[in-house]
Structures are given as structure tokens and as C-alpha cells.
Amino acid sequence: MNLQELALKIDQHQQTGVEMDKITIENSRLTVEDAYKIQELAVDEAIERGDSLVGWKMGLTSLAKQKSVGVDEAIYGRLTKSMELSEPVLHMKGLIHPRVEPELAFVLNKDLSGPDVTVRDVWAATECIFPALEVIDSRYKNFSFTLVDVVADNASSTKFYLGNQAFSPYHTSWEKMKVSMYRNGEKLQSGLGSDVLEHPVKSVVELVKMLSNSGHSLKAGMVVLAGGITEAVNIYAGDRIEIYFDDLAEVKLEVKE
Ligand code: 0L1
Ligand code: MG
């Protein structure tokens, strides 16, 4: 299969929520660069149907997460308008085996591009930060994949929700922020802002550098999910997720049929 055919196949599984075999089983020579091209082509299909690119996400930004899926580098994915939840309610229809994770979402007010971008550039281009959550859902059977597979599947991007409070980037030391995640009242995960590449701002810097390798950049108004602050948690219909970002904010999610 060529890259476009693989993109069409993945796009179909992303739309229908039907699980699939890893693409690397029958296409063992694909490179990570090919996988990013497949990701782009698949998202282009959604854009042709009327969706739009609203931002980017970094994935696998903690050592723990890289180990748990057997890779040794961070990856990025594309966020589209249809992925954004306007309310903290998730419907399971069309999803395969979703998981949720706490995130910090940077909203930009300036474009950012190039391999020489600095932490200072990112702060100067950040309008605000939302405590947020991401719902990931691999299209691959058993949530099992190689680096190439997961990149092609848009880094498992599925849905995201920005909490209802936005903060100035200077409001707190984001790397020191403690985050805990509860499912149905039981604490399942906790982490620190520094679990995201030592500081979430560094994740945005890394994203800009990675994008510059393929001629892409961040635009003013875009959202960037910096990376999961804890491991992701499986969710099922009827679940209620509560995420506490220190005493700063609480982001909830109700999971329905
Ligand atoms: O957002 C993430 O860190 C997920 C990246 C893809 C790996 C996964 O699906 O767990
Ligand atoms: Mg994530």
C-alpha cells in the first residue's frame, strides 16, 4: 500500500471507531517520516470533509509513558475542531478503548516557527494556559503499536477538553504543579508538571523544532496540548473522571454510552 492508501485506511478506522491491525505488519519498511506523512494525509481527509486544524499535541512526553509503549522519543499529532469537546461529557459511541489523561493546553497569540525557537519565545507567544484533559484512543487492536503505527494514527488523538479556567502563563510554576486523577472517586494517578519533558513549556519548544523539520509551524490562535502529566486511565460508560491541578483548577469528565 502507498502512503495515501494507508492514510485513507486509517482515516476510515478513525471515523468508524473500528479497531485495525498495525499497519507495520504488512508494511514493515515504513519510516517515522512516512508515518508523519500518513498522519498529515489522513487529517487532510477530515479537513476536506469540513473539519479544520486547530492545534497540535505532544505525546509520549514522559519517560514512564515512553517505556509503557516501548518507544524512546516524543511524538506529535494534529488536533482538529471536531475533536474539541465543548462540554465535559464524552460519548463512547464511535470510540474503541478510550483513555483519559491530564494535560496543560497552551493557547498562542503569535506564530512560532523554526529550529532555533527558545523557551522565551514560547512564553512570549503564549496567551494563556488551560488545565485540560485529553482522550486518546488507539485505532490498533489492544492499544498495541510501534512508533511508526502510532504516529500514522495521529498519536492516538481523539478528543480534548479545555477546562473552564484560563491562566496567565506567569500565574504559577507549572513544572511544580501537582496533578491527581480520580475515576469514580478513586485516586488512580498523580504526577507533576515536570513529568512533561521537565517543564511543559519545553514540550512546546520541542514541538516547534520537530514541526520545522517538515516545514510546519504553530499559528497564533492554535492550541497545543503539551503532553500527559500522568499515565492515561481507561474509561467506560458511566465513569466520572476528576482531575485536580493543585488547588488551581479541577477538570471533570462524564462518560456516557
Ligand atoms: O497523548 C499521548 O501521550 C498519547 C500518544 C500516543 C500513545 C498512546 O496512545 O498511548
Ligand atoms: Mg496526551
Side-chain angles (χ1 to χ4, degrees):
M1 273 182 151
N2 64 34
L3 302 189
Q4 178 64 30
E5 286 166 341
L6 288 166
L8 289 175
K9 180 173 176 179
I10 288 179
D11 172 58
Q12 203 194 2
H13 285 266
Q14 287 171 343
Q15 279 190 79
T16 55
V18 174
E19 62 184 11
M20 62 189 280
D21 286 324
K22 290 181 278 201
I23 58 171
T24 50
I25 294 175
E26 290 190 350
N27 303 272
S28 57
R29 293 187 168 186
L30 289 172
T31 62
V32 174
E33 201 182 334
D34 293 334
Y36 277 113
K37 191 66 200 167
I38 295 169
Q39 176 190 123
E40 181 176 6
L41 292 169
V43 173
D44 282 350
E45 290 299 312
I47 291 172
E48 272 183 28
R49 288 191 297 273
D51 211 346
S52 55
L53 186 71
V54 296
W56 302 80
K57 66 168 267 187
M58 283 293 273
L60 305 180
T61 45
S62 70
L63 222 52
K65 212 158 173 204
Q66 290 177 8
K67 264 197 197 150
S68 79
V69 297
V71 306
D72 58 7
E73 58 191 280
I75 59 176
Y76 66 80
R78 289 160 160 86
L79 301 176
T80 66
K81 181 90 190 108
S82 68
M83 293 178 191
E84 182 165 3
L85 298 172
S86 54
E87 297 289 327
V89 178
L90 177 76
H91 290 274
M92 291 292 285
K93 191 165 180 294
L95 304 182
I96 304 167
H97 34 211
R99 298 175 177 175
V100 66
E101 58 189 20
E103 296 266 352
L104 290 174
F106 286 62
V107 177
L108 305 178
N109 56 20
K110 290 192 186 74
D111 297 355
L112 281 170
S113 62
D116 301 324
V117 67
T118 63
V119 163
R120 189 161 169 238
D121 295 332
V122 172
W123 283 135
T126 301
E127 171 79 20
C128 60
I129 295 181
F130 282 86
L133 60 80
E134 183 185 18
V135 176
I136 54 174
D137 190 21
S138 175
R139 267 47 69 164
Y140 300 113
K141 288 178 185 163
N142 305 318
F143 231 109
S144 160
F145 40 71
T146 66
L147 181 61
V148 164
D149 294 300
V150 69
V151 167
D153 183 25
N154 198 14
S156 307
S157 301
T158 298
K159 298 283 179 194
F160 64 98
Y161 175 67
L162 304 186
N164 50 22
Q165 283 166 285
F167 294 89
S168 151
Y170 313 112
H171 186 88
T172 189
S173 301
W174 298 99
E175 80 283 15
K176 293 187 187 144
M177 198 184 50
K178 288 200 195 94
V179 176
S180 353
M181 178 160 54
Y182 291 72
R183 186 179 63 199
N184 305 324
E186 185 187 357
K187 184 171 172 177
L188 294 183
Q189 291 290 338
S190 57
L192 279 176
S194 58
D195 290 331
V196 179
L197 294 183
E198 294 176 352
H199 194 307
V201 75
K202 290 194 182 171
S203 184
V204 184
V205 170
E206 185 60 22
L207 172 64
V208 177
K209 290 183 177 176
M210 288 169 88
L211 289 179
S212 77
N213 290 334
S214 50
H216 296 294
S217 60
L218 301 183
K219 305 287 180 218
M222 281 185 158
V223 174
V224 176
L225 296 181
I229 297 169
T230 72
E231 289 282 328
V233 157
N234 291 315
I235 44 177
Y236 308 93
D239 282 348
R240 181 180 171 77
I241 296 290
E242 285 156 2
I243 303 173
Y244 297 94
F245 294 80
D246 262 346
D247 48 7
L248 209 62
E250 182 184 351
V251 179
K252 295 180 182 175
L253 185 72
E254 236 182 284
V255 188
K256 297 197 168 169
E257 280 294 331

